[in-house]
Amino acid sequence: MCELLGMSANVPTDICFSFSGFLHRGGGTGPHRDGWGIAFYEEGGYRDFRDPHPSVDSPIARLICDYPIKSNVVISHIRQANVGGVRLANTHPFTREMWGRPWCYAHNGQLSDWQALPLGVYTPVGNTDSEHAFCWIMGELRRAFPTPPAIPEVLWEKLHALCEQLRGLGVFNLLLSDGVYLYSYCSTKLAHITRRAPFGEAELSDAEMTVNFIEHTTPNDIVSVIATEPLTQNEAWHRMVPGELLVWREGEIDARYCP
């Protein structure tokens, strides 16, 4: 299985600390050697980096650790290939445009009968079940909402229903964002932590690194991190339950949907 990493913050924040531990799972402390990627939403813009090689050995991954990109929303993924070959086109996260915004998506899991999911205006570039499911989700959302809904809750309810449908096809853990909201959906495994004042020290589980967040934050900062497995060994992470969708904005949970 692959692994996911996401961040939602109320101020532009770098993810260097969390990513420094996460990248070791891509061929170091974990078996996920089949590519990795990371996407950042910054000041109304979007950029991503993807690499079909193991993150633990990737010069691009080291650049991300050394270059503190400040972002309010981040999605990252390390891949252990199940469906589709090891190549750039199959490397997460995937991106599509809807309503003039770049939507970013990453998936952990494996689906059966995914080829039967009908596609509309969105078509895959690669040949993974993950990207096919993403195109299906985006098509279904666009069909239900040709324009952005005035009440965002109706979109969230629809997204939860679509995720529940995909969970019926196998394992479907998801991170999805339009740059404003970050959505995390749990099929089997996702955990999260919210850091706010008073800040303290955190120690990575996959690398010898400790940070004292009070040295890098203000009392008003709120930063939430979501990961397949907890990234630190001295903090209390909260595990999501199967079928749960969390809607994040500026580091806080705006909404929670359960089956």
Side-chain angles (χ1 to χ4, degrees):
M1 291 292 183
C2 308
E3 292 210 18
L4 303 172
L5 170 64
M7 185 191 77
S8 172
N10 69 335
V11 293
T13 304
D14 75 70
I15 200 170
C16 295
F17 175 72
S18 295
F19 186 72
S20 294
F22 186 65
L23 71 85
H24 282 276
R25 298 180 179 179
T29 58
H32 315 87
R33 300 187 57 86
D34 301 324
W36 68 277
I38 189 167
F40 302 88
Y41 288 91
E42 309 167 61
E43 300 178 348
Y46 171 91
R47 61 174 154 179
D48 63 25
F49 302 83
R50 294 184 298 145
D51 187 353
H53 305 293
S55 57
V56 71
D57 300 322
S58 172
I60 305 174
R62 290 196 294 273
L63 167 68
I64 301 302
C65 293
D66 297 336
Y67 179 34
I69 298 173
K70 303 285 187 178
S71 176
N72 290 84
V73 177
V74 177
I75 290 178
S76 185
H77 179 275
I78 51 176
R79 184 175 184 231
Q80 184 177 18
N82 292 305
V83 178
V86 178
R87 59 192 183 105
L88 188 60
N90 291 334
T91 305
H92 306 223
F94 302 108
T95 313
R96 295 294 188 278
E97 179 276 335
M98 184 166 67
W99 308 325
R101 306 177 199 163
W103 287 67
C104 176
Y105 155 101
H107 162 232
N108 162 29
Q110 190 171 356
L111 304 174
S112 60
D113 301 323
W114 51 274
Q115 297 95 333
L117 295 169
L119 301 179
V121 296
Y122 298 102
T123 55
V125 176
N127 60 341
T128 64
D129 53 347
S130 300
E131 189 183 14
H132 189 105
F134 177 40
C135 291
W136 176 76
I137 289 174
M138 295 295 290
E140 292 296 300
L141 290 178
R142 192 158 199 160
R143 185 169 62 85
F145 309 105
T147 59
I151 303 173
E153 286 81 1
V154 297
L155 172 67
W156 303 345
E157 291 169 2
K158 177 66 173 179
L159 176 60
H160 183 245
L162 295 174
C163 290
E164 286 286 85
Q165 188 172 339
L166 289 170
R167 184 163 71 111
L169 301 181
V171 177
F172 187 74
N173 301 294
L174 161 145
L175 290 178
L176 175 72
S177 182
D178 64 349
V180 178
Y181 297 100
L182 174 64
Y183 305 96
S184 60
Y185 175 79
C186 176
S187 170
T188 54
K189 288 194 299 183
L190 270 180
H192 59 88
I193 187 169
T194 298
R195 300 183 178 114
R196 65 178 82 231
F199 292 96
E201 286 192 350
E203 183 178 351
L204 290 175
S205 302
D206 297 89
E208 293 184 4
M209 182 181 295
T210 301
V211 66
N212 188 350
F213 286 112
I214 199 170
E215 298 174 357
H216 306 277
T217 56
T218 74
N220 298 320
D221 292 0
I222 302 171
V223 181
S224 293
V225 177
I226 304 98
T228 300
E229 292 287 354
L231 292 165
T232 57
Q233 57 188 3
N234 65 326
E235 295 179 295
W237 290 66
H238 304 279
R239 293 193 179 273
M240 294 178 63
V241 300
E244 183 180 29
L245 173 73
L246 297 180
V247 182
W248 302 86
R249 184 173 186 179
E250 296 186 348
E252 302 276 21
I253 297 173
D254 261 18
R256 184 190 309 264
Y257 295 88
C258 294

